[in-house]
Each structure stands twice: as structure tokens, then as C-alpha cells.
Amino acid sequence: MPIELKNVNYYYNRGTSMEVHVLKDVNLKLDRGEFIGVIGHTGSGKSTLIQHFNGLLRPTDGQVLYDGEDIFGEGYDRRALRGHVGLVFQYPEHQLFETDVFTDVCFGPRNQGLGEEQIKERAEASLRLVGLGEEFYKRSPFELSGGQKRRAAIAGVLAMEPDYLVLDEPTAGLDPGGRDEIFHVLQTLREERGIAVILVSHSMEDVASYVHRIIVVNEGKIAFDDVPREVFRHYRELEKMGLSAPQVTYIAQALRERGLDVDPLVTTVPEARDSILKALEERKHGC
Amino acid sequence: MAIIKTDNLVYEFTRRDENNEVVETVRAVDDVSLEIAPGEFIAVLGRNGSGKSTIARQLNALLLPTSGTVWVDGMNTQDGEHLWDIRQTAGMVFQNPDNQIISSVVEEDVGFGPENMGVPTEEIWKRVDRSLEAVGMTAYRRSSPEHLSGGQKQRVAIAGVMAMKPKCIILDEPTAMLDPSGRKEVIQTVRELNQSEGITVILITHYMEETVNADRIYVVDQGVVRMKGTPREVFSQADRLKELKLTVPQVTELACEMKKAGVDLPGGILTVEELAGALCR
């Protein structure tokens, strides 16, 4: 059940003097089970891009296919599609509105027309997945910490049992502990349920440590689409796009400039550690 | 004299029911005593809900103490007479740039503060010129803020505060919504203001690497100051920070890992250059 974008173009205010060409001829294929990071500077078009994944935005031209079917084809059930592709917006905790956490999480499946028993099961399962135990069920969303609120909001989307979970900056404004919590939950989801996770992030360090594939959006085009190692190889170009590489990539570069033979493509702390230790060992024997 | 001083500051949120009876009291700030000297660059770290923003709001009288005292440049924040002087002395920049910009032209937005203070027109324009210059946004003075990037918008917001000629700027997670280059822009701007204009800076952030150049760091948890010291002192206690749901810059973490693996390195490495220098002696 892949999501495919074929030659997608998107314009704001088409045909007026305010016309903006936001997405330019985008071709992408996303598969179940993938863990993908979408990066790009503010205004690069990445939020517009992800809103095409569940048909929230309609391409000005080009096609979006889900499982081979054009989602804007005649008679296509987009309502069902939104159950398959769940979208979590920026600051989703602002969308918590019920009096307690449990009722809030039930909102999605209830709208899908499920029976009470099934709604309850789904809500329980989703809250368990995001690590919110029974003691949270009856609490007001406003009594939770920032990270807890956000997990409650994510549970609300999970309760619809999507195959794809798309999140727009799920860790913005969270403390490091909260960021880890969210990434950990997403990782578990992918492993236990085989859900594809696609997230927008401004934290290169987090993206490098968790995802398997990075899509770089620049001026409405896909600039790179590869494994983190290969994407961050282009760190000079990324800087020109308002992005950067993880700090460890810069450390590797600085060490290489000083003659230590470290792998230039390290993107996480363990990788950097191992590569530097190896290089130090070699240097010792070289002397 | 300290530019900002708090004595045993306590702040409690109270929740009341429809009959105005107190249902619950939450102590957000618990006996905090700080002293910040003019020209210092202070960073405040703490997890979500730790009370750091509540403390920040005490420092320019957006909130008033439940007990204890806050002094801003010698003025007691509970003294209503000084309210506007206090706000002018200690300016604030918030997380979301879109919530802070009100005008449709950059230069008018920057002039809004001094205009409200009744500054004469000619002087307003001088201040607008200087403030935009200081944040490196002169080229955009006639642009619409809508067309700026997040980092540029935050710099305009900082210029708006600058135009009120504050002695101190408090920034509450100014980079949380920005991309990497926007973050860099804002932090560089703030550092320059601190170094060339001597403005006291209090920076609240969740990005550890933004604080390595601060003079001092305060770590807040449950409304209490749990750690304080230079970045080197604070970040050499990685385990303690982890308990408080915080972390260390990636380079510090790597240095720590290397030490564990038996590499001889000095403690508290904070920058890429330091680590590279230590490894390639």
C-alpha cells in the first residue's frame, strides 16, 4: 500500500499576482514500515508536501496515488484514506479539547463509526503505545506536561489505526527528555505495528539518530532523498539551504582537517566514537 | 549593583471553582534567589513545566511574586509606579515570531515600542535605524514581515525590543520554532548585542549547544534552581542533567564516551574545536 506522488505541482493563489509555486514537480514513493525524516528550511514547502499525503491538499497538477489508486479520482473514498494516513499537525496538543484524556483519544475512532467496545479497545491500545497508563485516563489534558500532552494528541490519531503516521515537527518546543520520549514512541510503533512514520524535524541530531531515510525539501523541490549518511555527506549544500549536519559530522570534518583518519560520514555519537577510536588506534601503530 | 535580583521568590498558581474557593495551588517557583550583573549572558535550562518561563515572566513584571521580591535595576516589581520603567529596562522576546509582530512593514513594527512610550518621532527613527542595524536587518526595513524567514522575524522582534533601549533582554525559547540556520542567526545576533552593546541577556532554551558561550547557566526543576555555574561546570555533570530530563551538547557527549573508552581527554569539552584540539595534540 504505497503512497506515490507523481509530478505533483502545487500553487497558492494560482492565476493571481500573489501566485506562489510551492511544490515543483515532486515525485516520491513512500512504503509501509519506513521511518522517514523530512527536512527543509522554514518556507521550503515541506508542510505543504506532507499535507498531500492524505489528500488534505489537492495538487494543482500531478497525481497522488494510494495503493495504486488516484486519491482524487472519481468516487475515491478520501474519508477512509484519512483513516489510513494519519496526520499530526504542529503543536497538536492545542487540538486537545475534551474534558479528559481518554474521551479525547476516543474522538477519532468514534467519528469512524466504530462500536463503543471497539472504540474503547482502540483508545486503550493507543494510550498504551504512547506510554500513558490508566492513571492518565481521567485527567484533564491541561494537567499534563508538554511531552505528555503531545503523546496524548498522537494517541488520538493512532486510535484510528493508520498505516502511515505523518507528523509535522512533533518535537518542537519540547525539552531533550520529551524529544527522546516522542522518538522512542515512534520507533516502537514502527517496530511493533509496522506503521510507516514520516516526520518533519528541524533537529538534525534527532533525525540522524532515528530515521532510515531523509527527504530534503528546498524551494519546493526534492533536493536529496537517501539514507542519513549519504544526505549529510552534502553538508555544505545543506548549509546553503538553511540546514546543517549533526554536530558529530562537523567533529569528523575538524579531525580530518587535522590529519586524523576518521570516517567523514558519521552522523551519530556511537558511530563517531567507534570511528575516532579506530583512527586513534591506527595513528598509534603508525608512529 | 545587580541588574536583576530575586530574593526568595515564590510564585503559586491557584485554581478556583465557581464560588471563588481555592481548589488547588501549584507552586511554580519555589524560593529562587538570583543575582545577575549588568552585561552578563545567562542561560536558563529546565524541562517543560520546570518553571523557567514563569521565572522569566517575573523578571519584567508580567507576573508578580506570591512572596519574595524581584528587583529590576533597583526597582521592585511590586511597585506599580515603576511598571513601565521595568518593562522598558527588561524587554522580552517569545517563542513564536508570528505572535510578536503586529505591523505590515518591518520598520514600523520596530518603531511600535518607542512610539508607545511617547518618544519624539525623530528619535524613534534613529532608534529604528540603529536597532535594525544591530540585528542585521536594515536591508529588509521596508519589507513585509510575512515574507521573512522565521529567523529573520525573530531578529525583527529583537530589534523591536532593542528600540526601547532596554538594559536587559529576556528570550524565552526564541529558537524553538526555527530551522538550523534561523537558530544560528538568532543566537549570533543575541551574542553580538551582549558583547558590543553590553546588554544583559537571559536566554531560555532547550538546545544545549546554544548555551556553551554563556557566562553562567541556571538549571531549574520543579521551580527550584538545581544547578548553577559556568557551562563547563554544568555540562561536566551529564548524569545529573539526564536526571533532570536535559542533556549535554553532542560534542560533550562524544567526549564523555571517548573518556569512558579510555582516551585521555580533559573534562567538560564544549565545542568542536576543543575536542579536535585535544585529540590531535
Side-chain angles (χ1 to χ4, degrees):
Chain A
M1 293 170 286
I3 300 176
E4 279 173 279
L5 273 67
K6 287 196 167 160
N7 307 317
V8 166
N9 281 282
Y10 187 79
Y11 294 83
Y12 286 124
N13 310 313
R14 182 107 209 236
T16 72
S17 61
M18 304 286 281
E19 179 177 297
V20 192
H21 194 177
V22 196
L23 293 180
K24 297 167 187 163
D25 224 13
V26 171
N27 287 288
L28 272 183
K29 187 170 177 220
L30 316 171
D31 261 310
R32 268 204 76 159
E34 285 199 278
F35 199 157
I36 303 174
V38 180
I39 62 176
H41 67 85
T42 31
S44 59
K46 54 193 186 317
S47 296
T48 306
L49 173 68
I50 64 170
Q51 289 177 49
H52 280 80
F53 295 163
N54 73 344
L56 207 56
L57 289 178
R58 181 180 192 142
T60 313
D61 56 67
Q63 280 185 315
V64 181
L65 308 177
Y66 183 78
D67 207 8
E69 270 189 88
D70 186 343
I71 64 167
F72 288 101
E74 209 170 318
Y76 189 86
D77 188 357
R78 274 192 299 283
R79 199 182 152 90
L81 173 71
R82 300 214 170 106
H84 299 309
V85 184
L87 195 55
V88 179
F89 288 102
Q90 263 181 53
Y91 295 89
E93 61 275 21
H94 295 169
Q95 295 164 41
L96 295 169
F97 64 97
E98 280 286 2
T99 47
D100 65 69
V101 170
F102 195 81
T103 321
D104 202 281
V105 174
C106 289
F107 181 79
R110 184 159 290 138
N111 265 342
Q112 287 180 307
L114 302 177
E116 270 316 302
E117 201 50 38
Q118 214 180 350
I119 293 172
K120 217 178 128 225
E121 270 170 31
R122 288 229 189 150
E124 281 169 359
S126 314
L127 283 163
R128 193 167 49 242
L129 276 167
V130 300
L132 293 175
E134 270 179 57
E135 67 273 24
F136 289 99
Y137 288 6
K138 288 294 149 207
R139 277 203 217 163
S140 157
F142 300 106
E143 291 170 32
L144 308 181
S145 78
Q148 288 166 346
K149 269 190 224 172
R150 199 158 297 178
R151 283 186 284 150
I154 293 175
V157 176
L158 281 180
M160 299 198 280
E161 297 202 337
D163 298 311
Y164 290 81
L165 186 62
V166 185
L167 309 101
D168 199 352
E169 291 189 50
T171 59
L174 294 185
D175 58 47
R179 297 207 285 265
D180 278 346
E181 269 173 28
I182 296 286
F183 272 103
H184 191 76
V185 164
L186 297 176
Q187 204 171 28
T188 317
L189 276 175
R190 200 187 71 81
E191 282 163 10
E192 286 183 7
R193 283 214 188 162
I195 293 180
V197 177
I198 300 140
L199 61 92
V200 172
S201 176
H202 281 322
S203 169
M204 305 298 128
E205 282 80 11
D206 288 341
V207 167
S209 336
Y210 288 97
V211 307
H212 304 141
R213 171 180 170 195
I214 296 180
I215 296 171
V216 183
V217 186
N218 187 46
E219 290 175 357
K221 292 187 194 136
I222 307 295
F224 299 106
D225 180 357
D226 214 325
V227 294
R229 219 176 132 77
E230 290 303 319
V231 168
F232 289 123
R233 176 199 284 274
H234 304 281
Y235 68 100
R236 297 266 182 237
E237 283 141 285
L238 291 175
E239 282 167 13
K240 286 193 195 110
M241 298 173 187
L243 300 168
S244 66
Q247 208 178 20
V248 289
T249 309
Y250 293 101
I251 296 172
Q253 296 300 332
L255 290 173
R256 285 178 68 81
E257 276 163 27
R258 290 168 202 236
L260 195 63
D261 189 23
V262 181
D263 178 1
L265 300 184
V266 294
T267 55
T268 64
V269 170
E271 275 173 28
R273 179 199 57 205
D274 295 346
S275 175
I276 296 172
L277 287 175
K278 195 167 147 244
L280 287 174
E281 197 59 32
E282 280 163 9
R283 183 174 70 177
K284 217 192 293 173
H285 292 302
C287 289
Chain B
M1 189 183 60
I3 179 87
I4 300 234
K5 188 167 187 283
T6 72
D7 277 333
N8 309 101
L9 171 63
V10 170
Y11 183 74
E12 287 173 345
F13 288 103
T14 44
R15 222 174 69 196
R16 293 167 191 275
D17 64 10
E18 52 268 38
N19 302 321
N20 216 20
E21 302 281 331
V22 175
V23 191
E24 195 187 3
T25 312
V26 179
R27 190 169 275 214
V29 181
D30 192 0
D31 199 21
V32 168
S33 298
L34 307 173
E35 201 165 333
I36 296 168
E40 273 197 295
F41 192 128
I42 301 291
V44 182
L45 299 174
R47 69 171 96 179
N48 295 107
S50 60
K52 55 193 189 315
S53 294
T54 313
I55 295 176
R57 280 163 178 69
Q58 293 277 351
L59 304 185
N60 76 343
L62 281 175
L63 291 173
L64 296 175
T66 305
S67 71
T69 325
V70 178
W71 306 90
V72 177
D73 203 18
M75 295 174 279
N76 186 335
T77 58
Q78 267 155 321
D79 193 345
E81 213 180 297
H82 291 311
L83 186 63
W84 299 109
D85 293 330
I86 288 170
R87 301 251 166 98
Q88 202 178 314
T89 307
M92 236 167 136
V93 176
F94 297 95
Q95 193 180 96
N96 188 343
D98 293 322
N99 296 347
Q100 299 171 75
I101 290 179
I102 39 118
S103 175
S104 54
V105 183
V106 165
E107 60 180 11
E108 285 177 16
D109 192 84
V110 175
F112 181 79
E115 191 176 5
N116 257 345
M117 285 157 50
V119 173
T121 313
E122 206 180 316
E123 168 69 13
I124 294 178
W125 285 116
K126 269 190 208 155
R127 290 192 187 186
V128 169
D129 292 346
R130 272 213 73 222
S131 307
L132 284 171
E133 181 84 48
V135 301
M137 287 295 290
T138 307
Y140 297 90
R141 61 181 304 153
R142 299 204 202 281
S143 306
S144 159
E146 260 180 70
H147 298 138
L148 303 179
S149 73
Q152 290 170 333
K153 281 186 206 166
Q154 273 307 41
R155 279 149 67 197
V156 171
I158 294 171
V161 173
M162 285 284 295
M164 306 211 283
K165 293 208 164 172
K167 293 182 180 167
C168 174
I169 298 187
I170 302 152
L171 303 108
D172 192 356
E173 291 187 48
T175 58
M177 299 178 77
L178 306 183
D179 56 39
S181 62
R183 288 209 295 269
K184 221 182 272 172
E185 269 171 39
V186 168
I187 294 301
Q188 261 165 16
T189 303
V190 172
R191 265 194 85 190
E192 269 165 37
L193 292 181
N194 174 253
Q195 285 176 346
S196 59
E197 315 265 330
I199 294 176
T200 311
V201 171
I202 300 171
L203 171 69
I204 298 176
T205 182
H206 285 319
Y207 288 100
M208 305 297 134
E209 59 279 10
E210 292 175 1
T211 68
V212 297
N213 291 309
D215 295 313
R216 285 188 297 138
I217 296 178
Y218 286 98
V219 181
V220 181
D221 196 50
Q222 294 179 324
V224 180
V225 175
R226 302 279 178 190
M227 296 168 78
K228 58 183 171 186
T230 62
R232 211 173 295 282
E233 286 162 3
V234 169
F235 288 128
S236 57
Q237 301 178 57
D239 294 339
R240 186 86 208 284
L241 284 166
K242 202 155 206 178
E243 276 166 36
L244 300 172
K245 294 268 183 186
L246 298 173
T247 174
V248 296
Q250 213 174 24
V251 58
T252 312
E253 188 188 342
L254 178 60
C256 219
E257 293 271 309
M258 307 278 305
K259 273 178 86 163
K260 273 185 206 156
V263 179
D264 178 29
L265 283 173
I269 283 181
L270 298 175
T271 64
V272 171
E273 289 70 36
E274 275 175 27
L275 180 62
L279 282 172
C280 301
R281 267 170 298 190

